[in-house]
Amino acid sequence: MKKLAFVFSFLLIAFGSVAVWAEDKTEEAPKKNEVLEAADAFMKDLDERSRRHFSIMYGNYNLIKVVESVRENVEMAVDACGEVNSDMKEPLETRFDEWKAAIKPIMEEADANVGNMILAQEYAEPREIKKFFKLVDKARKDKDKEIEKVPVTSPEACQTLLENMDKTQPEMTRLLKTTLVSLPMVMQQQDQVQKEEEARVAAEKEAAEKEEAEKAEAGEAEKPEGGGE
């Protein structure tokens, strides 16, 4: 999970300046974290391998949604910058199209990997995992409603946005590919190796027990009837 946190931090550093976040100042009682509680409940009775599988799957799903949110915020900032600074509209839109094109195949593969991980696991019904993900989506949408996003459109901020897309794209795509694509694949490969090893051990145990049973049966057959000479 450290790698996921690192990628998330990278996204915030790279594009944190594209918007001013004005949160609602209304004081309310602290809300319980329904997603965290649901995740803990989901993993409560799982073994270590299943917990690891679920954590990576949930982490990847969450990061996919973070990247989608960043993409929406950058697009909002690009549009706003283009409206206020007409001379920057074309270079910003062109660069953003290139940025989106670089991210698109990674996100599609990441989505497919999450889907495969849902199907490959045996500790929960797929519909239960999808239900949990819907809760994650709802919590994110509810949080977004509480925050006002105001793009920064000064020439300096818009130039920084353009430069950040240039500077961060190679590293961001590398990190996302490593995290969103490679990590789940490695996890599934490890699971497959472990399952094959467990099947081999079970087969050897079954064969040994069968052999012992056959020996015992043969020994019984060799005993004289009646137990006498």
Side-chain angles (χ1 to χ4, degrees), residues 18-214:
V18 302
V20 173
W21 303 88
E23 294 196 24
D24 188 349
K25 300 301 182 179
T26 304
E27 292 188 9
E28 296 180 358
K31 296 180 181 179
K32 65 178 182 179
N33 191 325
E34 293 181 332
V35 172
L36 183 59
E37 290 181 1
D40 288 343
F42 213 108
M43 293 190 292
K44 183 179 65 174
D45 298 322
L46 300 183
D47 58 30
E48 181 59 31
R49 186 179 72 183
S50 298
R51 288 172 65 90
R52 183 161 48 95
H53 183 280
F54 178 79
S55 294
I56 291 176
M57 180 172 58
Y58 166 39
N60 264 45
Y61 183 84
N62 198 44
L63 184 53
I64 287 170
K65 297 304 177 182
V66 169
V67 175
E68 290 177 351
S69 179
V70 169
R71 183 173 59 196
E72 291 171 0
N73 291 336
V74 173
E75 183 170 17
M76 177 179 65
V78 166
D79 290 342
C81 279
E83 290 179 6
V84 176
N85 307 279
S86 58
D87 59 318
M88 301 188 70
K89 180 179 177 65
E90 192 277 332
L92 276 168
E93 290 181 349
T94 298
R95 191 64 190 85
F96 181 55
D97 287 342
E98 294 171 353
W99 187 83
K100 285 191 298 183
I103 299 300
K104 183 179 178 180
I106 302 174
M107 301 301 287
E108 289 176 347
E109 190 169 356
D111 271 326
N113 272 347
V114 170
N116 289 336
M117 292 187 79
I118 292 174
L119 296 175
Q121 55 79 38
E122 299 174 345
Y123 52 80
E125 289 291 333
R127 65 174 179 273
E128 292 301 317
I129 295 177
K130 292 177 181 178
K131 180 180 178 182
F132 170 74
F133 286 161
K134 286 183 179 179
L135 176 63
V136 174
D137 293 342
K138 182 179 181 302
R140 187 179 302 280
K141 289 179 181 178
D142 289 345
K143 185 64 178 177
D144 283 346
K145 291 177 182 177
E146 299 174 0
I147 301 175
E148 181 184 0
K149 302 175 184 179
V150 182
V152 179
T153 57
S154 66
E156 296 78 13
C158 294
Q159 182 61 35
T160 298
L161 173 62
L162 180 61
E163 292 173 357
N164 278 349
M165 284 192 284
D166 285 334
K167 292 177 182 177
T168 61
Q169 180 181 315
E171 181 65 8
M172 184 175 68
T173 52
R174 185 189 68 80
L175 287 171
L176 291 177
K177 191 170 182 62
T178 299
T179 304
L180 291 173
V181 177
S182 299
L183 190 57
M185 290 178 66
V186 170
M187 175 67 191
Q188 291 183 64
Q189 290 168 359
Q190 291 175 343
D191 279 351
Q192 185 61 33
V193 169
Q194 186 170 346
K195 286 181 179 179
E196 290 174 356
E197 177 63 15
E198 290 173 353
R200 183 188 66 78
V201 171
E204 289 180 354
K205 181 179 179 181
E206 183 179 355
E209 291 175 348
K210 183 178 180 181
E211 183 178 354
E212 288 296 322
E214 290 175 349

